[in-house]
Amino acid sequence: RLSSLPDELYKMSELTELDASCNQITHFPPRMSDLKSLQSLVLRNNLLLAVPVEITYLRLMRLDLRANRISSLPIEMRTMVTLIDFMLEDNPLTSPPASVSKIQRKLNQS
C-alpha cells in the first residue's frame, strides 16, 4: 500500500521496468524523469489524478495507467514517439486532447 515511490528508486539509472500497480499513489514524483532507461511504467489501480508533462521526457514503450482518477492528459504526450502500448481505460477522462487520440489510433492500427 505505497502512497509514493521511495526516493532510492531514482538512483537506479539502469531500471527499465517499473510496476507499482495496486497501491495508493496519488501523484507522479517530479524525479520520475530521472529514470532515463525506463521503458515500461505500470501504475495501474492507483489514485493518480494527473499525468505530468515530465512523463514525456522518458522514452517509454509501455505506459499503463488504467483504473486511476486521471481526468486529463498533457498535450505534450503527442511527442512520445517510442510509445507502443498505452493503456488508459477506467479513468474519468473529460476530454483527451485530439493529439493523444491520434496516438491511440496509430497504436490500434499496428
Side-chain angles (χ1 to χ4, degrees), residues 48-65:
L48 294 168
L49 298 171
V51 178
V53 70
E54 288 81 10
I55 197 81
T56 66
Y57 303 159
L58 299 171
R59 298 184 52 81
L60 294 173
M61 296 177 73
R62 180 176 191 225
L63 179 58
D64 186 346
L65 300 174

Side-chain angles (χ1 to χ4, degrees), residues 10-21:
Y10 306 106
K11 297 176 185 171
M12 303 174 80
S13 60
E14 300 301 315
L15 184 68
T16 59
E17 296 182 22
L18 175 60
D19 187 337
S21 298

Side-chain angles (χ1 to χ4, degrees), residues 8-105:
E8 293 80 23
L9 178 73
Y10 306 106
K11 297 176 185 171
M12 303 174 80
S13 60
E14 300 301 315
L15 184 68
T16 59
E17 296 182 22
L18 175 60
D19 187 337
S21 298
C22 303
N23 283 291
Q24 297 178 349
I25 299 170
T26 58
H27 66 281
F28 282 88
R31 296 189 59 200
M32 181 69 74
S33 60
D34 289 351
L35 299 173
K36 299 294 184 196
S37 298
L38 197 62
Q39 295 178 2
S40 175
L41 177 59
V42 180
L43 292 171
R44 180 182 66 247
N45 290 323
N46 275 285
L47 303 173
L48 294 168
L49 298 171
V51 178
V53 70
E54 288 81 10
I55 197 81
T56 66
Y57 303 159
L58 299 171
R59 298 184 52 81
L60 294 173
M61 296 177 73
R62 180 176 191 225
L63 179 58
D64 186 346
L65 300 174
R66 290 177 289 174
N68 277 282
R69 298 178 180 177
I70 299 168
S71 62
S72 65
L73 300 169
I75 196 161
E76 290 84 359
M77 286 190 75
R78 72 178 187 267
T79 64
M80 297 181 75
V81 296
T82 58
L83 196 59
I84 296 170
D85 293 321
F86 180 41
M87 292 150 279
L88 197 60
E89 297 87 14
D90 298 321
N91 278 285
L93 287 173
T94 54
S95 59
S99 55
V100 173
S101 296
K102 289 178 187 174
I103 289 173
Q104 290 174 329
R105 279 197 301 272

